[in-house]
Amino acid sequence: LLFISRGIPIGKLALYTACGGINPAHVLPVHLDVGTNNQDNINDPYYLGLKRPRERGQAYDDLIAEFFEAAKDKFGENVMIQFEDFGNLNAFRLLDKWQDKACTFNDDIQGTASVTLAGLIATNRITGKELADHTILFAGAGEAATGIAELIALAAS
């Protein structure tokens, strides 16, 4: 099991271990630092990240591809790569690119959506309404909200 994220991988891996029963020796938190566009961080002597503008474009895509291929090479074709906190600009695009090439999912898009959908389905037992009968409002169009909306639409259809 492999995990890509920014600041929360240890907590996620603790959940996998405590709640999912996954052996902690089988998880690896990974942080891919591609820089920051926050000038305050760049100027901060205590900032631990890469102090340069965030990488974009082909160089960014090449780094992600190199990581996916290296993880599969090192841990086998079935290594599960969870990624999150990639932002809308990259998250959906990378999920589309890699979901058929590697065992991967985006927690913000797919994980949060599946938990939310499970909650909505559970409320149907209480309300007696079908999923399609609900009106759902999303405040924002980030990865999580967009993923939730897509999964609810799929489940309601």
Side-chain angles (χ1 to χ4, degrees), residues 110-127:
Q110 297 165 302
T112 303
S114 50
V115 170
T116 302
L117 179 61
L120 290 170
I121 290 170
T123 65
N124 292 348
R125 293 183 208 144
I126 297 167
T127 64

Side-chain angles (χ1 to χ4, degrees), residues 43-145:
N43 295 336
D44 184 347
Y46 299 108
Y47 178 66
L48 298 176
L50 192 58
K51 294 183 179 189
R52 69 175 204 199
R54 185 176 300 254
E55 192 66 63
R56 296 282 187 217
Q58 191 60 49
Y60 178 88
D61 288 352
D62 290 347
L63 173 67
I64 300 300
E66 182 179 352
F67 177 80
F68 268 79
E69 294 303 330
K72 291 188 332 180
D73 183 56
K74 176 69 178 170
F75 300 107
E77 286 292 318
N78 292 325
V79 62
M80 193 270 290
I81 303 172
Q82 173 188 335
F83 66 101
E84 64 181 282
D85 296 335
F86 275 53
N88 281 357
L89 179 65
N90 292 311
F92 289 96
R93 184 176 63 79
L94 291 173
L95 183 60
D96 284 343
K97 179 175 182 172
W98 288 99
Q99 66 186 352
D100 294 327
K101 298 176 186 172
C103 178
T104 188
F105 75 100
N106 181 295
D107 189 51
D108 294 323
I109 297 169
Q110 297 165 302
T112 303
S114 50
V115 170
T116 302
L117 179 61
L120 290 170
I121 290 170
T123 65
N124 292 348
R125 293 183 208 144
I126 297 167
T127 64
K129 289 184 174 183
E130 293 298 318
L131 189 58
D133 296 332
H134 291 279
T135 300
I136 301 170
L137 172 67
F138 294 91
E143 292 170 72

